[in-house]
């Protein structure tokens, strides 16, 4: 349950023995080896639970989607396949588990408007961070509306975005996965996981399929998604229409002296690129278009509406990749009478969120970057 301080490094790919992805795999192997050195103590294949980063945990580092991928050692989900070294592992996705109250977002919290550059002012009904209640702006009606928000914040001070206080969902997800991995349960251990996709040239629909075996009897549910506002909400599914811009993790280009060249990026083969084409920082991994979708009739897929592309065939697809915010900012009661947590659209019937994914679309089918298979 860590990784924020690694966001500034290379997320990498375990198949290429690069970066955090490789280190994650080595950590599991190393701890298992040490713990089982004394016969009759720890099982050499001891179970591991891993929590992926919440979206507020980037610490300013890039490529958070690649980081969550690296936390699975590049397999896109846990447990990993046979002989991967990541067998008997499980995960709790936390990309949708930021602090339920922001932390302390919205007009109820004193000092919010000032600290976040809001010009519409705040109500300042919940004291925080040295800001007292404003008895002028916090009218009795507003105080009553803010009672839930103030109660949620009382005695649970936030220590910043990398420490979201909403831990129950993390525990629930870990507990369910552990029960079904270690303690005899027969249900699923992970949420909907990409298994493939299909699209015909000029088609108006992209079908994204999820792994039926990993669903473990669950069905795929599509929750209503709010409008895309303030870089939050929306479907969280995006497609790309220029294959040359695909890259799981853009990397700075270095010169012959090993010094990064400012503003110049490239895409290594382990990230889906050719390692030679150079781009400026705005070109590579750009051009993504957010699209809507609906649940497939088989309850194990989604149907993506490609009509906004006007006949252009997508070259890549991704979901919940990077910093994810599924909150409804059109809701005037958001962070006033209720917070926002575990609110992203694609879930299993066991309330497990879909594993984030990013894949090329080649020849009308999804092509994942090894070691992930789809």
């Amino acid at each position: 349950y860590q990784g924020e301080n690694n966001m500034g490094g290379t997320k990498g790919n375990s198949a290429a023995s690069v970066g955090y992805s490789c280190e994650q795999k080595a950590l599991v192997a190393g701890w298992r080896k040490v713990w089982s050195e004394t016969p009759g103590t720890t099982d050499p294949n001891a179970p591991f639970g891993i929590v992926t980063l919440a979206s507020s945990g980037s610490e300013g580092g890039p490529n958070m989607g690649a980081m969550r991928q690296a936390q699975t050692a590049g397999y896109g989900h846990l447990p990993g396949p046979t002989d991967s070294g990541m067998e008997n592992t499980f995960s709790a996705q936390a990309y949708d588990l930021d602090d339920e109250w922001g932390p302390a977002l919205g007009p109820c919290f004193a000092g919010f408007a000032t600290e976040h550059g809001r010009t519409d002012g705040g109500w300042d009904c919940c004291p925080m961070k040295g800001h007292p209640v404003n008895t002028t702006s916090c009218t009795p009606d507003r105080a009553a509306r803010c009672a839930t928000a103030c109660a949620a914040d009382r005695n649970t001070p936030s220590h910043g975005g990398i420490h979201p206080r909403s831990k129950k969902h993390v525990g629930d997800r870990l507990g369910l996965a552990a029960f079904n991995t270690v303690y005899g349960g027969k249900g699923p251990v992970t949420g909907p996981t990409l298994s493939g996709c299909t699209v015909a040239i000029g088609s108006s629909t992209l079908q994204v399929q999820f792994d039926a075996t990993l669903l473990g009897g669950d069905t795929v549910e599509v929750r209503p998604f709010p409008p895309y506002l303030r870089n939050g909400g929306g479907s969280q599914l995006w497609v790309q229409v220029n294959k040359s811009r695909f890259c799981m993790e853009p990397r700075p280009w270095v010169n012959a002296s090993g010094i990064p060249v400012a503003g110049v990026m490239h895409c290594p083969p382990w990230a889906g690129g050719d390692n030679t084409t150079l781009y400026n920082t705005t070109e590579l991994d750009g051009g993504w278009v957010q699209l809507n979708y609906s649940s497939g009739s088989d309850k194990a897929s989604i149907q993506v509406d490609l009509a906004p592309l006007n006949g252009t065939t997508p070259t890549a697809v991704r979901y919940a990749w990077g910093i994810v915010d599924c909150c409804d900012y059109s809701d005037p009661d958001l962070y006033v009478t209720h917070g926002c947590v575990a609110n992203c659209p694609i879930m299993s019937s066991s309330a497990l969120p879909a594993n984030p994914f990013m894949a090329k679309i080649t020849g009308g089918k999804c092509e994942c970057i090894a070691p992930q298979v789809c």
Side-chain angles (χ1 to χ4, degrees):
Y1 194 2
Q2 72 87 51
E4 294 89 351
N5 288 333
N6 301 92
M7 277 297 300
T10 302
K11 287 71 180 181
N13 185 311
S14 66
S17 300
V18 174
Y20 191 97
S21 181
C22 179
E23 294 166 355
Q24 179 74 285
K25 196 171 181 177
L27 180 145
V28 172
W31 285 10
R32 283 173 170 171
K33 180 181 178 181
V34 170
W35 290 342
S36 63
E37 282 180 342
T38 302
T41 56
T42 303
D43 189 320
N45 194 35
F48 260 78
I50 295 169
V51 181
T52 65
L53 288 186
S55 286
S56 57
S58 73
E59 292 200 344
N63 305 315
M64 179 168 271
M67 182 61 184
R68 295 195 189 98
Q69 184 82 353
Q71 290 184 289
T72 70
Y75 295 102
H77 67 88
L78 295 177
T82 303
D83 297 326
S84 66
M86 297 297 288
E87 305 95 324
N88 207 31
T89 62
F90 54 90
S91 66
Q93 288 290 350
Y95 62 82
D96 60 338
L97 299 183
D98 272 340
D99 194 285
E100 185 170 357
W101 290 92
L105 291 177
C108 292
F109 295 96
F112 168 77
T114 300
E115 293 185 3
H116 292 265
R118 289 270 293 270
T119 59
D120 54 348
W123 301 346
D124 295 355
C125 291
C126 307
M128 63 169 294
K129 295 181 179 179
H131 297 280
V133 171
N134 186 324
T135 56
T136 300
S137 60
C138 184
T139 63
D141 176 66
R142 288 173 173 174
R145 289 188 66 197
C146 290
T148 302
C150 294
D153 188 63
R154 191 174 298 121
N155 298 321
T156 58
S158 168
H159 293 284
I162 67 169
H163 297 289
R165 295 166 293 175
S166 306
K167 304 298 186 186
K168 184 178 185 302
H169 293 281
V170 175
D172 287 345
R173 292 173 184 179
L174 280 175
L176 180 64
F179 176 69
N180 290 324
T181 300
V182 184
Y183 299 108
K186 304 300 182 183
V189 299
T190 191
T193 302
L194 177 70
S195 64
C197 70
T198 55
V199 60
I201 296 176
S203 173
S204 62
T205 303
L206 167 68
Q207 177 171 302
V208 176
Q209 197 73 36
F210 297 101
D211 190 301
T213 300
L214 290 174
L215 281 171
D218 273 1
T219 57
V220 175
E221 298 181 349
V222 175
R223 297 178 174 181
F225 31 85
Y228 184 64
L229 300 170
R230 284 181 50 192
N231 294 321
S235 70
Q236 296 300 320
L237 185 139
W238 305 73
V239 299
Q240 209 172 30
V241 295
N242 183 339
K243 65 181 182 180
S244 69
R245 302 182 75 176
F246 179 91
C247 192
M248 298 279 282
E249 184 183 355
R251 299 295 301 159
W253 180 256
V254 297
N255 61 25
S257 300
I259 300 173
V261 180
V264 181
M265 309 293 286
H266 73 115
C267 189
W270 50 259
D274 61 14
N275 204 41
T276 57
T277 306
L278 303 183
Y279 303 83
N280 66 43
T281 53
T282 62
E283 291 176 332
L284 193 55
D285 192 35
W288 292 96
V289 178
Q290 188 169 204
L291 297 176
N292 294 338
Y293 48 86
S294 58
S295 180
S297 59
D298 60 356
K299 300 298 182 181
S301 65
I302 59 171
Q303 303 289 324
V304 183
D305 179 14
L306 301 180
L309 301 185
N310 297 315
T312 302
T313 302
T315 57
V317 60
R318 71 184 188 188
Y319 173 76
W321 193 262
I323 296 176
V324 178
D325 186 345
C326 296
C327 299
D328 183 359
Y329 291 100
S330 67
D331 179 0
D333 288 327
L334 179 64
Y335 303 129
V336 177
T337 62
H338 64 87
C340 173
V341 70
N343 207 42
C344 288
I346 305 179
M347 304 284 284
S348 73
S349 50
S350 291
L352 294 173
N355 288 300
F357 61 82
M358 181 173 174
K360 295 180 179 181
I361 300 176
T362 305
K365 295 183 179 181
C366 269
E367 176 189 337
C368 288
I369 305 302
Q372 186 174 7
V373 177
C374 66

